[in-house]
Amino acid sequence: MNEPNLSVTAMHRICLKSGADRVSEAASKELAETLEKIGLKIAKDALVYALHSGRKTIKADDIEIAAEKIMHNGLTL
């Protein structure tokens, strides 16, 4: 995968918020890559919902439904 669009610094902060005392740069990069894959899957599913509703615009509800579906059914990357 290409360099993730998500900030490695932001991923570092997320890991620290989870309770970690220390986080390697490699772990922060891996989290960024993984979250980008998940985000892309959610966005693609949300687009399908928007198009099915006759819209070109993805709304927050589309994202919420797509994310809930993925969390409920599990995600295959």
Side-chain angles (χ1 to χ4, degrees):
M1 180 174 199
N2 295 334
E3 190 69 23
N5 291 317
L6 300 173
S7 158
V8 172
T9 303
M11 301 303 103
H12 183 83
R13 283 192 302 266
I14 287 172
C15 290
L16 292 176
K17 282 183 180 181
S18 77
D21 291 328
R22 298 174 62 187
V23 183
S24 71
E25 186 172 343
S28 296
K29 285 182 180 180
E30 184 64 32
L31 180 58
E33 290 173 7
T34 301
L35 289 179
E36 189 162 328
K37 288 176 188 175
I38 293 168
L40 185 58
K41 174 68 174 145
I42 290 170
K44 285 180 179 182
D45 286 358
L47 177 59
V48 169
Y49 299 143
L51 294 174
H52 181 74
S53 296
R55 294 181 274 108
K56 292 182 180 180
T57 302
I58 295 174
K59 294 187 175 187
D61 287 345
D62 300 321
I63 296 289
E64 187 177 328
I65 292 166
E68 185 63 33
K69 176 186 161 206
I70 286 171
M71 289 190 302
H72 179 72
N73 295 335
L75 174 68
T76 304
L77 297 177

